Amino acid sequence: MSAHTTATESEQSDGPLLDVRGLKTEFRTDSGPIVASNEVSFSLDRGETMGLVGESGAGKSVTARSVMRLIDSPGEITGGQVVFNGEDLLQKSDAEMRDIRGNRIAMIPQDPMSSLNPVMTVGEQIIETIRRHQDVSKSEARELAIESMDDVGIPDAAERIDDYPHEFSGGMRQRVLVAIGFSCEPDLIIADEPTTALDVTTQAKILDLLNEMQEREGTAVLMITHNLGVVAQTCDHVGVMYAGNLVETAELGDLFARPRHPYTRALIDSIPEVDTDYDELPTLDGAMPDLGSLPSGCNFAPRCPHATEACRTGGDPTLDSVGDTTSRAACIHADSLDLSESTVPEVGVGRSDIDRSGEPLFEVHNLKKYFSAGDGVFGNVHLSFGDGGLPTIERRYVKAVDDVSFDVYPGETVGLVGESGCGKSTVARTALRLLEPTEGEVFFEGQPLHELGSTEVRSLRREMQMIFQDPQSSLNPRKTVGQIVGRAMEKHDIATGEEKRERVGDLLERVGLSRNAASKYPHEFSGGQQQRVAIAHALAVEPKLIVCDEPVSALDVSVQAQILNLLNEIQADENISYLFISHNIGVIRHICDRVAVMYLGKIAEFGNIDDVFSPPFHPYTESLLSAVPHANPNRETDRILLEGSVPSPINPPSGCPFQTRCPKKIGDVCETEFPELEAMDQSGHFISCHLSEAEMSERESFITPPKRTETNAADSD
Amino acid sequence: MYNYVVRRVGFMAVTLFFVTLIAFAVTNILPGDVALLILGPNATEQSLEALQSQLGLNRPLYVQYIDWVVGLIQGNMGESLRFGEPVAQLIAERLPRSLMLAFAATFIAVVLSVPLGVYAAINQNEAPDVTASMFAFVGISMPIFLWGLVFILVFAVWLNLFPTGGYVSPSEDLVGSLTRLALPAGAMGFALTAYIMRMTRSSMLEVLSEEYINLARAKGMSQRVIVLRHALKNAIIPVITVIAFQFSYAFGGVVVLEEVFFWPGIGKLTLTAIQSRDIPLIQGCIVVVALIYMFSNFAADLLYAYFDPRIRYGGDD
């Protein structure tokens, strides 16, 4: 069947564009089949956007791939129908399916870095799609490809078409993927976490682009994401998946205002929002069950606060309409439960006041870390030919951290936030002397860390621990948890023998694991539990400072909330300080007392969390905060979209590092003079910008009064 | 790209320096006096000394080394003690024959192993994969010379398809030359197939699980296009290293195989040189073989750059 006839038929059929009925996809494993997508049913109309949300392993990607029949062995679609344009795709031959893929149904994948073929030019990759499905000549296809690159906002498309993927930034590559997706004007786009791998300012631009393309082409979108903020910004209706089941479908507004399934409620509540304050995030205990050993009743019952005996024994509930609403939920109590109220405590904190009258625990002065840019013939030494024709030798550096100063007081959490490549992780590593600083001073309890020898630094490490993003790679897989945690105690002479065992047990309980976890190996735990082990390991030596480098970025939101709460509790009990690195603004907002916003190795803004999130804003902070998608469909933020991408730290811009992209650039002064950090008031709020305070205060605060203000916020906008 | 090539050439120069140093040192540290070797055990003290000074052997070692290297650069590798001919000439005569054999063997290996590896990868763990892997293991599990003997036995003695050995220059008799090349090249190629095939297979498997392969499928590309256009060009990059390595290995294997097939190449020459303590010839052979190794790796580096645009465009700004 040619592409053309499919397109004509699509205009004739009047049912929904996509009608998935009882779709079941199983994976054969050694321990029997696993149902990754269990009797999933939903439908999608032309031009509509449906979100499919859930945590990792919920089955959303498998469901989407099943729609395109892209399930690899040992997976297999074992039941149901996928009716697209009135025809069941599961009955099509492989050749017919290939004519549909990329043509009527296209995919926009998650990771722009790995989804483009590195040895083919982006042009080749777009053109081959066009020529596969359209009867056009090579040169016509090339014209069409340039046009589609233009459409997705790639500058100088005609010149860049012959470039290779590695010559594009992450955001631009994602645009190329969008161009490929839309190149044959499909009826349906399946976007599988299209912005998850991107920085927040880039994410905002790509979401806008998707919306714009969709409106122009009238394409329907199935948006797979774990990010409820993205859902709230883009979708018309939403399906929530849990352990292979679709547990709720609803119109977007209803989903957030009146969720019908307890899991949906919990999912919404566990996201730390930028605009709200809370003592503690409401959490779900435990994690999603392993698909190989599902509970006998409702899959969610073991974690559900509303579960009754009937839930645990009655079998897995089916997805049914709730009362006379358009929502459907797989919950036997859906009709009687009222989940419209958030379980988040009504009154916002009470952030504990930090006593900053004494000496800071940790001080960093003018820290610099330059890496040599070793890409030339002679490493980082470059010959450059000046005007006179004489070669001059210069050394080139990547200025990863360039003159950064901040301090951390006892019991305080200081955040470092910024997009990838801004140098936030390097700051932490250099400050702890895991990397040798190029310049600058670091004091811990008044001791000059930058002057100490390596043995002295090592003994000070006891006071300063680190937690990393990926617990799986930071925990030794050949040691038991007991050995991992216990060894740190032995190394620093804290406890040995029976006492050590006792303390390890106590610690494991402290971080929410059972005592007998000590005899297990790291791989026997889930990601969240592994992060708990990493926290126990850090706490084992009774440190005063823990550096947390993206500690929750790899975790699902419900588990993320558990870990954030745990970190907060531990801080309250032990008066530990945290240096907390994250790209997630909501998480930073939730956990930090003060925060430094970094851009290109420098601090753009520093201050109390509320001050940074309120005017005056550094223009970069302002655009960063405005780009965060809120998990609240009623909330419209006036987003500032930054032009271009972050400049190379080898050749940083002159003057202010942000001047090349700054929407509020004044003029020459920004290009010639570096703006020093300047105090805005007495509370320690610093901004590095030439603008006047009034000019930086045009926008309202990103913080709204505590929770339950959704309707108010909508009114005032 | 410019930087990349310049750097590779720089590395080669440094490597070559160490090779000459080692070749020179080893042959000079080894017991045995050249003058004594030439004149025989009955030579007088005086005639020995006279010959030593004539050959320049009584000069300090570093002077001798510099002399030798300068000669090398000018293409003068000294004179063979055994043959009484210039070393350069001896090598120039035999090297092309060995290269011909090594190239033919590598060619046969690549032609056999890359398609087999690809085929095995797309039929992972199924009959074709298992068969190809077994075939490969048989190839790798026996030393090259044994394969030489087996090939002689089967194709020359039993089937009487090819001559058992010997060398004929292709410029004299092309067909005769190729029929004599067939068996040694085939035996060596067969032995080399295994490793390249395994590497191609695992490299293909890795590439086939990449996201961009998934996307190619989602674009509606056929299996053939995905394998040949999208996967192979990526998968071949690590295989190139193995091929270059196997070519060098083939060149080493030449020493033994040339014996078996009476192939008068550089392998046989080296063997003779060692047996007769022909020091200038040994040194010459070492340097030439090292050069072959280096150039095959350099060729691999250039091929990398050809296949991988990230190298081609990296580092020159």
Side-chain angles (χ1 to χ4, degrees):
Chain A
M1 181 182 308
S2 81
H4 187 70
T5 51
T6 330
T8 337
E9 275 168 34
S10 73
E11 276 136 36
Q12 290 163 352
S13 92
D14 0 292
L17 174 70
L18 177 71
D19 194 5
V20 177
R21 300 173 195 155
L23 181 68
K24 190 168 183 180
T25 303
E26 294 179 74
F27 285 80
R28 293 188 303 274
T29 68
D30 293 338
S31 48
I34 278 178
V35 184
S37 182
N38 191 10
E39 309 264 334
V40 170
S41 304
F42 62 88
S43 65
L44 182 58
D45 284 330
R46 241 162 264 286
E48 200 180 33
T49 303
M50 174 173 173
L52 212 49
V53 292
E55 299 177 282
S56 48
K60 44 194 198 306
S61 280
V62 169
T63 304
R65 297 184 66 81
S66 299
V67 169
M68 291 184 86
R69 283 194 30 210
L70 284 172
I71 297 294
D72 290 315
S73 176
E76 200 187 341
I77 302 171
T78 52
Q81 286 177 306
V82 177
V83 181
F84 176 73
N85 272 332
E87 292 180 287
D88 185 2
L89 296 184
L90 301 186
Q91 306 303 323
K92 297 263 179 203
S93 72
D94 285 348
E96 286 171 329
M97 248 348 262
R98 279 201 296 275
D99 285 338
I100 291 172
R101 286 188 204 123
N103 188 18
R104 306 317 332 143
I105 307 179
M107 179 177 267
I108 298 175
Q110 169 172 10
D111 184 1
M113 293 308 175
S114 60
S115 296
L116 288 169
N117 193 329
V119 303
M120 291 169 73
T121 64
V122 298
E124 285 170 339
Q125 301 185 53
I126 303 174
I127 290 168
E128 70 169 5
T129 319
I130 295 172
R131 298 204 69 201
R132 169 72 184 79
H133 298 294
Q134 295 174 33
D135 191 16
V136 292
S137 72
K138 243 183 184 156
S139 57
E140 284 170 318
R142 194 181 158 86
E143 287 308 310
L144 287 172
I146 293 173
E147 214 173 282
S148 68
M149 284 171 75
D150 261 335
D151 287 347
V152 297
I154 297 173
D156 308 319
E159 281 129 62
R160 301 223 64 189
I161 187 166
D162 294 319
D163 285 351
Y164 286 92
H166 72 272
E167 298 169 85
F168 291 82
S169 67
M172 280 297 148
R173 286 189 218 190
Q174 192 65 49
R175 283 174 194 267
V176 172
L177 292 171
V178 173
I180 291 174
F182 280 96
S183 61
C184 294
E185 296 165 12
D187 301 322
L188 172 65
I189 289 259
I190 294 180
D192 189 355
E193 304 267 10
T195 59
T196 304
L198 303 173
D199 279 320
V200 54
T201 57
T202 318
Q203 164 173 291
K205 288 198 281 190
I206 295 293
L207 289 180
D208 272 15
L209 171 69
L210 271 175
N211 276 341
E212 185 197 316
M213 293 293 288
Q214 180 183 11
E215 267 165 39
R216 185 176 351 161
E217 311 278 341
T219 317
V221 174
L222 183 60
M223 173 81 75
I224 298 150
T225 181
H226 69 281
N227 186 333
L228 281 175
V230 170
V231 167
Q233 301 304 309
T234 57
C235 296
D236 302 313
H237 68 254
V238 188
V240 180
M241 289 197 72
Y242 186 81
N245 291 356
L246 199 54
V247 295
E248 175 164 357
T249 62
E251 300 296 324
L252 180 70
D254 290 342
L255 188 88
F256 284 92
R258 282 170 297 278
R260 300 295 177 172
H261 195 285
Y263 176 64
T264 312
R265 177 77 264 162
L267 205 57
I268 296 170
D269 287 345
S270 53
I271 303 167
E273 272 287 335
V274 171
D275 57 354
T276 22
D277 250 331
Y278 2 57
D279 285 327
E280 198 173 301
L281 291 165
T283 57
L284 286 169
D285 290 334
M288 198 164 64
D290 183 17
L291 291 177
S293 52
L294 291 175
S296 57
C298 168
N299 288 339
F300 187 59
R303 299 174 77 190
C304 183
H306 308 285
T308 59
E309 199 46 41
C311 297
R312 290 184 196 95
T313 53
D316 205 17
T318 52
L319 189 67
D320 290 315
S321 297
V322 182
D324 49 4
T325 67
T326 51
S327 298
R328 294 183 301 159
C331 174
I332 55 172
H333 301 305
D335 287 325
S336 54
L337 278 176
D338 178 10
L339 299 167
S340 55
E341 293 294 319
S342 165
T343 54
V344 175
E346 292 189 11
V347 183
V349 195
R351 243 168 236 287
S352 53
D353 281 327
I354 307 295
D355 176 16
R356 297 201 185 88
S357 57
E359 284 294 304
L361 176 74
F362 189 67
E363 269 180 283
V364 174
H365 292 307
N366 307 101
L367 188 72
K368 290 183 184 175
K369 176 65 194 176
Y370 295 174
F371 295 101
S372 66
D375 58 350
V377 179
F378 304 104
N380 70 334
V381 181
H382 277 254
L383 288 178
S384 52
F385 295 90
D387 300 332
L390 280 176
T392 50
I393 290 175
E394 59 168 335
R395 281 177 184 278
R396 307 214 315 185
Y397 295 101
V398 176
K399 296 179 177 174
V401 176
D402 200 12
D403 208 1
V404 163
S405 306
F406 63 91
D407 49 18
V408 184
Y409 283 86
E412 184 184 34
T413 302
V414 172
L416 295 176
V417 69
E419 299 180 283
S420 48
C422 73
K424 52 193 190 302
S425 285
T426 314
V427 168
R429 275 154 218 252
T430 313
L432 293 192
R433 279 204 42 197
L434 294 172
L435 293 170
E436 208 54 40
T438 308
E439 226 181 286
E441 297 174 323
V442 182
F443 296 94
F444 185 82
E445 293 191 303
Q447 293 189 67
L449 214 59
H450 52 284
E451 286 171 8
L452 299 182
S454 55
T455 37
E456 292 159 302
V457 170
R458 223 172 296 143
S459 65
L460 262 185
R461 290 260 157 78
R462 182 186 153 178
E463 315 278 348
M464 306 179 293
Q465 287 291 305
M466 195 146 180
I467 301 172
F468 297 94
Q469 171 172 0
D470 181 8
Q472 202 166 4
S473 59
S474 60
L475 298 173
N476 185 340
R478 284 184 293 277
K479 293 240 160 71
T480 64
V481 164
Q483 286 169 330
I484 291 171
V485 177
R487 186 174 142 62
M489 291 183 184
E490 269 176 17
K491 199 165 73 184
H492 292 284
D493 296 322
I494 291 168
T496 52
E498 193 49 47
E499 192 198 347
K500 181 186 80 179
R501 256 188 298 284
E502 195 54 36
R503 294 181 69 137
V504 168
D506 290 347
L507 261 179
L508 291 175
E509 279 187 344
R510 179 78 193 78
V511 297
L513 297 169
S514 69
R515 291 188 94 85
N516 58 26
S519 56
K520 293 187 187 165
Y521 288 89
H523 71 87
E524 297 175 66
F525 296 92
S526 68
Q529 289 170 324
Q530 287 177 350
Q531 202 56 291
R532 289 175 190 271
V533 173
I535 293 171
H537 173 253
L539 290 176
V541 295
E542 298 166 351
K544 296 195 172 104
L545 173 72
I546 298 182
V547 175
C548 308
D549 191 353
E550 303 269 9
V552 294
S553 301
L555 305 175
D556 278 318
V557 283
S558 71
V559 180
Q560 164 179 301
Q562 295 166 6
I563 298 293
L564 290 176
N565 284 345
L566 176 65
L567 287 172
N568 265 340
E569 270 170 51
I570 291 168
Q571 180 166 55
D573 293 351
E574 323 267 340
N575 205 36
I576 290 181
S577 304
Y578 295 131
L579 180 58
F580 197 98
I581 297 151
S582 181
H583 69 280
N584 186 325
I585 319 273
V587 168
I588 287 280
R589 166 86 181 103
H590 174 66
I591 201 160
C592 295
D593 299 299
R594 288 188 297 162
V595 64
V597 180
M598 290 190 64
Y599 186 80
L600 261 188
K602 289 186 155 68
I603 291 180
E605 180 165 357
F606 183 65
N608 288 323
I609 195 91
D610 289 353
D611 291 339
V612 171
F613 280 66
S614 307
F617 295 109
H618 186 285
Y620 176 63
T621 314
E622 187 179 350
S623 52
L624 191 66
L625 297 181
S626 75
V628 179
H630 295 278
N632 178 352
N634 296 321
R635 188 182 162 126
E636 283 272 331
T637 317
D638 175 19
R639 285 186 286 177
I640 301 169
L641 299 181
L642 293 178
E643 293 295 319
S645 50
V646 184
S648 156
I650 299 178
N651 285 314
S654 60
C656 170
F658 190 54
Q659 52 107 341
T660 52
R661 304 172 74 198
C662 183
K664 291 187 167 179
K665 184 172 168 182
I666 315 171
D668 286 349
V669 62
C670 300
E671 288 169 23
T672 51
E673 228 172 285
F674 173 71
E676 297 295 334
L677 277 170
E678 204 176 310
M680 292 294 121
D681 50 30
Q682 297 308 305
S683 67
H685 183 202
F686 295 90
I687 293 180
S688 152
C689 186
H690 293 301
L691 291 171
S692 71
E693 199 174 323
E695 286 168 308
M696 291 188 284
S697 308
E698 283 161 4
R699 179 187 284 266
E700 280 179 29
S701 172
F702 285 94
I703 308 170
T704 48
K707 207 65 181 176
R708 297 235 284 142
T709 51
E710 280 160 5
T711 44
N712 299 349
D715 291 345
S716 65
D717 272 357
Chain B
M1 183 68 189
Y2 167 75
N3 278 349
Y4 176 77
V5 173
V6 170
R7 241 191 293 186
R8 286 295 173 284
V9 172
F11 282 135
M12 281 206 339
V14 174
T15 317
L16 196 58
F17 168 70
F18 281 108
V19 167
T20 57
L21 210 60
I22 291 166
F24 185 80
V26 166
T27 42
N28 274 284
I29 289 164
L30 284 178
D33 182 346
V34 177
L36 194 67
L37 272 171
I38 295 172
L39 296 176
N42 302 326
T44 62
E45 196 81 356
Q46 270 164 333
S47 55
L48 276 177
E49 257 173 44
L51 185 61
Q52 275 175 345
S53 72
Q54 188 200 325
L55 293 172
L57 294 175
N58 47 4
R59 295 173 303 162
L61 274 182
Y62 72 92
V63 177
Q64 290 187 45
Y65 172 72
I66 291 170
D67 231 38
W68 178 62
V69 169
V70 169
L72 276 183
I73 293 166
Q74 294 166 340
N76 173 14
M77 304 171 113
E79 204 161 277
S80 161
L81 305 179
R82 171 125 191 306
F83 298 96
E85 283 175 55
V87 170
Q89 195 184 313
L90 284 168
I91 290 176
E93 195 184 339
R94 285 160 177 82
L95 183 63
R97 302 172 189 163
S98 296
L99 281 177
M100 185 168 121
L101 181 52
F103 269 119
T106 312
F107 177 77
I108 291 172
V110 170
V111 164
L112 276 177
S113 60
V114 171
L116 262 180
V118 171
Y119 190 61
I122 54 185
N123 293 291
Q124 193 193 358
N125 296 334
E126 284 165 28
D129 181 23
V130 177
T131 316
S133 298
M134 261 165 49
F135 174 73
F137 275 118
V138 171
I140 210 169
S141 54
M142 280 206 278
I144 287 186
F145 79 92
L146 212 63
W147 280 118
L149 295 177
V150 168
F151 270 54
I152 289 175
L153 192 68
V154 174
F155 295 105
V157 179
W158 290 350
L159 299 175
N160 205 10
L161 289 173
F162 299 103
T164 55
Y167 169 81
V168 173
S169 160
S171 56
E172 285 168 25
D173 171 8
L174 187 63
V175 175
S177 172
L178 289 180
T179 52
R180 279 171 180 81
L181 180 65
L183 284 194
M188 197 186 285
F190 187 62
L192 299 184
T193 299
Y195 203 47
I196 304 178
M197 188 225 118
R198 294 297 297 177
M199 191 66 206
T200 310
R201 176 183 178 274
S202 63
S203 179
M204 271 303 274
L205 282 178
E206 202 183 310
V207 169
L208 284 173
S209 65
E210 290 281 349
E211 276 305 313
Y212 54 78
I213 298 297
N214 262 328
L215 182 65
R217 290 177 62 197
K219 293 197 300 192
M221 296 294 142
S222 67
Q223 176 77 356
R224 199 180 60 86
V225 171
I226 288 173
V227 169
L228 296 183
R229 192 191 297 165
H230 285 262
L232 188 57
K233 209 179 162 197
N234 280 287
I236 205 75
I237 295 169
V239 177
I240 290 168
T241 325
V242 173
I243 294 175
F245 181 77
Q246 292 288 297
F247 176 77
S248 309
Y249 177 72
F251 213 78
V254 153
V255 177
V256 189
L257 215 63
E258 284 180 354
E259 261 320 285
V260 175
F261 285 96
F262 303 106
W263 191 271
I266 194 124
K268 256 180 98 69
L269 186 68
T270 312
L271 221 57
T272 316
I274 293 170
Q275 279 160 355
S276 54
R277 293 265 160 96
D278 189 341
I279 286 174
L281 192 55
I282 297 176
Q283 289 173 336
C285 289
I286 293 177
V287 171
V288 166
V289 171
L291 269 175
I292 299 289
Y293 277 43
M294 280 188 304
F295 274 109
S296 68
N297 277 306
F298 181 62
D301 285 339
L302 291 185
L303 279 174
Y304 270 2
Y306 172 75
F307 281 105
D308 193 341
R310 283 163 296 189
I311 296 178
R312 212 183 314 156
Y313 293 95
D316 67 344
D317 39 351

